[in-house]
Amino acid sequence: MINKKTILIIDDDEIFLDVLGRALTRRGYFVVAASTAKEAVASCERHQPSKAILDLKLERGSGLTVLPQLKIIKPDIDVLILTGYSSVSTAVEAIKMGAKDYLCKPADIEEILSVFSGKRINIVTTGSHQTPPSVDRLAWEHIQKVLLENKGNVSATARILGMHRRTLQRKLLKRPVKQ
């Protein structure tokens, strides 16, 4: 089924899939949901969606490995990376790989749809009220950058950062520090 209003949601959080799917259905979209990379690729081949919302951190892998597969199947698909584990390095990498945009969770339906309409709502504050990121946030982003440079290899990343692999794994399981 090829439909201009078909949207593929890829996220391993079943509740999030359901809530976002219902919100998009109410706005006239035909929603296809997938909770794994394999399901996402199969759904993209079968339904040929015009848009996709892709979680960066899936239970078994990264959305950054799914993104190129979706673009091969449907080169003109608009992919929005949506994540609770944001970092500058993954945002840059996602855009380089062909993502339309990158949003941090929680993002409401209006923010998501604004990305696809090309009228993105700017939620970043500017001017003198903007606070610099904390040291913990900078450390999180540095870890993400080094992890990306090592293609997700936790052992190599831990060696470069001078920490034990298990310590790094624990840090990666935690949510990123707020700005």
Side-chain angles (χ1 to χ4, degrees):
M1 169 197 285
I2 298 175
N3 178 351
K4 240 179 149 33
K5 294 217 34 165
T6 299
I7 191 162
L8 173 61
I9 307 171
I10 305 120
D11 199 303
D12 53 4
D13 181 342
E14 296 293 328
I15 295 170
F16 179 77
L17 274 176
D18 184 52
V19 170
L20 184 57
R22 281 187 284 135
L24 289 165
T25 299
R26 282 193 300 271
R27 285 165 175 78
Y29 285 92
F30 174 73
V31 175
V32 179
S35 57
T36 66
K38 188 175 179 180
E39 285 176 16
V41 170
S43 294
C44 189
E45 288 173 342
R46 185 174 28 251
H47 297 284
Q48 296 288 305
S50 60
K51 299 166 181 41
I53 299 170
L54 175 59
D55 189 17
L56 180 67
K57 187 172 182 181
L58 298 171
E59 188 174 321
R60 292 188 189 116
S62 168
L64 292 180
T65 60
V66 177
L67 177 59
Q69 295 174 58
L70 298 179
K71 292 300 247 179
I72 289 169
I73 295 165
K74 189 147 188 327
D76 63 337
I77 191 170
D78 287 337
V79 179
L80 167 64
I81 300 290
L82 191 61
T83 184
Y85 298 88
S86 64
S87 74
V88 172
S89 61
T90 55
V92 169
E93 188 66 22
I95 299 302
K96 281 182 182 178
M97 295 172 87
K100 183 170 180 77
D101 214 329
Y102 183 101
L103 288 178
C104 301
K105 287 181 182 176
D108 66 30
I109 191 72
E110 298 308 321
E111 286 177 279
I112 291 168
L113 292 176
S114 73
V115 167
F116 291 127
S117 70
K119 300 173 188 165
R120 179 155 182 215
I121 301 167
N122 187 359
I123 58 170
V124 177
T125 59
T126 57
S128 61
H129 299 292
Q130 189 175 15
T131 57
S134 68
V135 172
D136 289 337
R137 180 64 191 198
L138 291 173
W140 168 262
E141 289 188 10
H142 181 67
I143 288 169
Q144 294 300 314
K145 179 179 175 278
V146 175
L147 185 63
L148 189 62
E149 288 170 355
N150 286 288
K151 297 177 175 55
N153 185 323
V154 175
S155 296
T157 302
R159 269 192 305 278
I160 289 169
L161 294 173
M163 66 174 63
H164 194 277
R165 183 182 54 81
R166 300 278 255 168
T167 302
L168 178 58
Q169 286 175 319
R170 279 193 298 276
K171 285 180 180 275
L172 292 171
L173 290 175
K174 293 180 183 176
R175 289 216 173 265
V177 179
K178 295 285 182 199
Q179 302 244 10

